[in-house]
Amino acid sequence: MQPTPAQPHRAARDREIESLAEFDEVVAEHGSLARFRVQAVDLTSRTDVLLRLDTTGAVFLGCPMDPDAAARVRAAGALVFPPVPGLPFDPYRAFVYTPDELFESLDAGYEATPDARAYAWFQRTQGDGDVFASMLRAIHDDAVSDALDELLDGARVVGVMGGHAMARGTDAYAGAARLGRELARAGFTVATGGGPGAMEAANLGAYAAPFADDMLDDALRLLAKAPSFRPSVSEWARVAFEVRERWPGGGDSVGIPTWFYGHEPPNAFAAHIAKYFANATREDGLLARSTAGVVFLPGAAGTVQEVFDNATPNYYESRGEPTPMVLVDSGHWTQELPAWPLLRSLARGRAMESRIALVDRIEQAPDALKRLGG
């Protein structure tokens, strides 16, 4: 049997070691580290292992280790990419972020959090032409993409796109939250741009999916105390964590934000946050991973861009069979920002024609998505 395209990729992943427990399992099972890839694992307590095992062709990415161990594995034919001191992020990280990780030290104000410090580093370095800084950003984003692929392997992902300006306490925000809840309850993995507004609302809905219906109503009332991340990101985020503390153990969803729009903080309701420095990589990756379709809520320039970023591979079928696209709010998409007439004209006579829909109300989006997806 000829190997499928996924098999070599999966075989490569089987040689990745992403935790100390995995490291110990590989050592016990194989007695060798040859050709394995060890990613962001602290190996300072495994010096004796590194000094005696075969490491031919192994690669160590950002793994702290004893200098003698590092010298020995290099001499044995391994590549060692050492940790980079002084960074507010790990460019070699093996997993996507969590809200708790990005908002650590929130009690001292948002400016003290790893998220804010990474954005400050990005602002300092993005325009100085330093090839080392640009290399670190690229390595980080590639590591995040790898972690995101592993996380979403086999998932039915629905993207929910919409603007950051949608305020807590509004009917539109509540509707987006109910949409996220219904999609999660239908077995989809909700993925958003990971920021405030419509994105946060959809992630909140997915978080609320395991609870009784009245939980979401109560959470919406609590969140309305801080309608926007302006003027205070700290207060906006604290109220979200207050909701999470009152109702722990919510449903999983994914947020895929970017430090390119660093003035927009990530939201605390996405259990998994794949945050990028390069917005183009982030945006294309978000849409490409929305394999079960995308719902487009009213938004501005960014959401319009996402509509046509998603339409292009559907038009050319460059990713295979076109995926469903549901635009919500006829008035918005035919009058305020008339993307729908252009989308419909592009789709005419092509396979994607049967995979697009325009609905008036957000409550109609899940049924439209299911209908378009067969």
Side-chain angles (χ1 to χ4, degrees):
M1 183 181 71
Q2 290 294 322
T4 65
Q7 284 174 323
H9 192 48
R10 193 173 302 278
R13 286 184 184 167
D14 288 343
R15 303 199 71 80
E16 293 179 2
I17 299 173
E18 298 173 334
S19 70
L20 198 58
E22 281 187 314
F23 180 88
D24 291 339
E25 288 174 10
V26 167
V27 170
E29 181 177 351
H30 297 276
S32 170
L33 293 169
R35 293 177 295 282
F36 277 90
R37 278 78 175 104
V38 191
Q39 189 173 353
V41 179
D42 188 341
L43 298 176
T44 52
S45 63
R46 297 296 186 272
T47 299
D48 58 333
V49 175
L50 295 172
L51 290 175
R52 64 181 171 81
L53 288 191
D54 181 12
T55 57
T56 306
V59 180
F60 296 86
L61 297 167
C63 299
M65 62 179 77
D66 182 87
D68 288 342
R72 192 269 172 189
V73 298
R74 283 194 187 97
L79 285 174
V80 178
F81 294 80
V84 181
L87 290 178
F89 62 94
D90 181 359
Y92 306 110
R93 63 178 302 112
F95 304 101
V96 298
Y97 294 94
T98 66
D100 296 286
E101 182 180 2
L102 287 174
F103 284 103
E104 185 183 0
S105 303
L106 181 62
D107 288 345
Y110 174 67
E111 294 74 15
T113 66
D115 185 67
R117 291 189 290 111
Y119 177 50
W121 177 89
F122 179 48
Q123 285 185 304
R124 289 194 306 272
T125 62
Q126 65 174 325
D128 64 8
D130 183 357
V131 66
F132 182 56
S134 62
M135 182 192 73
L136 291 174
R137 293 194 295 268
I139 292 173
H140 169 275
D141 286 2
D142 191 67
V144 167
S145 289
D146 181 68
L148 187 59
D149 285 338
E150 293 177 9
L151 175 71
L152 295 179
D153 188 22
R156 294 190 302 155
V157 181
V158 172
V160 179
M161 311 298 160
H164 68 267
M166 185 183 288
R168 296 168 174 174
T170 63
D171 290 341
Y173 185 96
R178 287 192 290 270
L179 170 66
R181 183 176 65 182
E182 182 163 349
L183 292 172
R185 286 178 173 177
F188 295 108
T189 296
V190 173
T192 78
M199 297 171 279
E200 180 188 55
N203 289 128
L204 167 65
Y207 186 89
F211 300 100
D213 287 355
D214 58 357
M215 174 270 176
L216 182 57
D217 296 331
D218 292 341
L220 289 168
R221 281 192 289 270
L222 277 175
L223 290 169
K225 296 189 299 183
S228 172
F229 63 97
R230 295 188 178 102
S232 172
V233 174
S234 300
E235 183 58 27
W236 174 84
R238 286 188 187 114
V239 175
F241 279 100
E242 182 181 338
V243 169
R244 286 185 31 174
E245 288 167 9
R246 181 167 174 179
W247 292 281
D252 282 357
S253 66
V254 177
I256 307 180
T258 173
W259 280 294
F260 184 79
Y261 297 132
H263 59 285
E264 296 179 16
N267 75 73
F269 295 110
H272 311 285
I273 301 177
K275 192 153 190 177
Y276 289 85
F277 289 106
N279 184 51
T281 305
R282 162 255 191 177
E283 199 159 81
D284 183 70
L286 169 56
L287 294 167
R289 291 175 176 87
S290 297
T291 52
V294 183
V295 178
F296 296 91
L297 303 178
T303 311
V304 172
Q305 180 178 340
E306 288 162 348
V307 169
F308 292 103
D309 279 348
N310 197 50
T312 300
N314 281 347
Y315 179 89
Y316 290 111
E317 299 183 51
S318 56
R319 293 179 185 145
E321 186 179 350
T323 52
M325 299 176 65
V326 179
L327 278 63
V328 176
D329 191 332
S330 298
H332 184 83
W333 294 118
T334 62
Q335 298 174 37
E336 293 180 46
L337 295 173
W340 173 252
L342 178 53
L343 180 63
R344 187 172 55 182
S345 296
L346 281 171
R348 190 172 295 123
R350 305 187 75 88
M352 69 179 288
E353 187 172 17
S354 63
R355 294 298 183 94
I356 64 171
L358 175 67
V359 298
D360 291 317
R361 301 188 313 279
I362 201 167
E363 293 81 8
Q364 298 170 309
D367 285 341
L369 188 69
K370 294 170 190 175
R371 183 178 72 252
L372 298 179

